[in-house]
Amino acid sequence: GENVEQHPSTLSVQEGDSAVIKCTYSDSASNYFPWYKQELGKGPQLIIDIRSNVGEKKDQRIAVTLNKTAKHFSLHITETQPEDSAVYFCAAHRWGAQKLVFGQGTRLTINP
Amino acid sequence: GAGVSQSPSNKVTEKGKDVELRCDPISGHTALYWYRQSLGQGLEFLIYFQGNSAPDKSGLPSDRFSAERTGGSVSTLTIQRTQQEDSAVYLCASSLDGGPGEQYFGPGTRLTVT
């Protein structure tokens, strides 16, 4: 089955700097890759996603890149702000499997 | 509109007792998922319901865990004879059709087994 590895497990950056979180997946048939943000005491919330027919997608300060050949995808947050502090999860979905496989999460801390 | 709701938000139970956790998905969403999140860990898939199809129970960790979804809407996750290792946050999510798209998560139920 699908396996998703996420790195790093913790990340601390200065406010205003960029943050990058990376994930690799094992199933080449996976075709949908979302990123979720989870704040303390809340459920995860989708922040951006990408499908396998696209290499990059941007939404204001966040972007996701996908390398299908290498089977990895990354989340990029620019101009980080204190409210970006949270746990971020990547996931992969294979058509027909009908479920997401999540990475282990990255705790991002933005230092003022 | 209303999001996914879960109840109770917190549950403390004694080892060996049974517990029921409830999930109300977004109206009109045909797919419903249960996940378990242990402290500081990722999301572990438990079970998936899609419309009237047989549920995908492949993630249930033991036969003490079961779930049902009545009328294609509300779902209940039942854990029988709870063990301390069952302590975790149980998250429910729903999506429009179960395909590759956004899953909307509830706030979770924090279960503590003493």
Side-chain angles (χ1 to χ4, degrees), chain A residues 31-32 36 38 41-46 49 51 87 89 93 95 97-105 107, chain B residues 33 35 37 40-43 45 48 56 58-59 91 97-108 110:
Chain A
N31 60 358
Y32 173 69
Y36 284 81
Q38 185 175 29
K42 298 183 179 180
Q45 184 173 14
L46 180 75
D49 56 11
R51 298 182 187 268
V87 179
F89 293 96
H93 184 289
W95 184 257
Q98 308 297 4
K99 61 191 178 190
L100 289 172
V101 177
F102 285 85
Q104 291 301 298
R107 180 173 299 279
Chain B
Y33 310 79
Y35 295 89
Q37 186 173 31
Q41 299 297 309
L43 283 75
F45 167 79
Y48 160 68
D56 177 352
S58 61
L91 290 161
D97 58 10
E102 182 169 4
Q103 292 185 16
Y104 296 81
F105 283 83
R110 180 175 297 278

Side-chain angles (χ1 to χ4, degrees), chain A residues 12-52:
Chain A
S12 183
V13 302
Q14 288 299 120
E15 182 177 354
D17 288 350
S18 296
V20 180
I21 303 170
K22 299 181 179 181
C23 288
T24 59
Y25 61 98
S26 61
D27 188 345
S28 57
S30 289
N31 60 358
Y32 173 69
F33 307 92
W35 285 89
Y36 284 81
K37 175 183 181 182
Q38 185 175 29
E39 297 176 331
L40 194 62
K42 298 183 179 180
Q45 184 173 14
L46 180 75
I47 56 170
I48 195 167
D49 56 11
I50 192 168
R51 298 182 187 268
S52 59

Side-chain angles (χ1 to χ4, degrees), chain A residues 58-104:
Chain A
K58 294 184 70 174
D59 183 3
Q60 299 182 7
R61 295 188 297 108
I62 60 173
V64 56
T65 59
L66 171 65
N67 183 327
K68 287 190 297 182
T69 303
K71 289 189 283 187
H72 67 70
F73 56 112
S74 300
L75 176 70
H76 305 254
I77 306 174
T78 60
E79 301 173 17
T80 53
Q81 300 170 3
E83 53 264 37
D84 295 330
S85 294
V87 179
Y88 292 80
F89 293 96
C90 64
H93 184 289
R94 178 172 63 85
W95 184 257
Q98 308 297 4
K99 61 191 178 190
L100 289 172
V101 177
F102 285 85
Q104 291 301 298

Side-chain angles (χ1 to χ4, degrees), chain B residues 37-54:
Chain B
Q37 186 173 31
S38 300
L39 187 63
Q41 299 297 309
L43 283 75
E44 175 190 5
F45 167 79
L46 297 178
I47 189 169
Y48 160 68
F49 295 89
Q50 171 57 49
N52 296 321
S53 302

Side-chain angles (χ1 to χ4, degrees), chain B residues 3-90:
Chain B
V4 177
S5 61
Q6 293 186 244
S7 60
S9 55
N10 282 283
K11 176 71 176 179
V12 180
T13 190
E14 292 180 351
K15 177 182 173 181
K17 300 285 189 182
D18 297 352
V19 294
E20 287 188 351
L21 313 180
R22 177 186 169 104
C23 172
D24 281 273
I26 293 173
S27 178
H29 281 193
T30 63
L32 186 147
Y33 310 79
W34 284 97
Y35 295 89
R36 179 168 70 176
Q37 186 173 31
S38 300
L39 187 63
Q41 299 297 309
L43 283 75
E44 175 190 5
F45 167 79
L46 297 178
I47 189 169
Y48 160 68
F49 295 89
Q50 171 57 49
N52 296 321
S53 302
D56 177 352
K57 305 179 181 180
S58 61
L60 294 178
S62 77
D63 58 9
R64 297 186 296 105
F65 288 72
S66 63
E68 63 178 19
R69 188 179 185 191
T70 54
S73 181
V74 172
S75 178
T76 302
L77 177 69
T78 301
I79 309 173
Q80 296 179 311
R81 304 180 303 281
T82 52
Q83 304 295 313
Q84 288 186 331
E85 59 263 30
D86 299 333
S87 296
V89 175
Y90 289 82

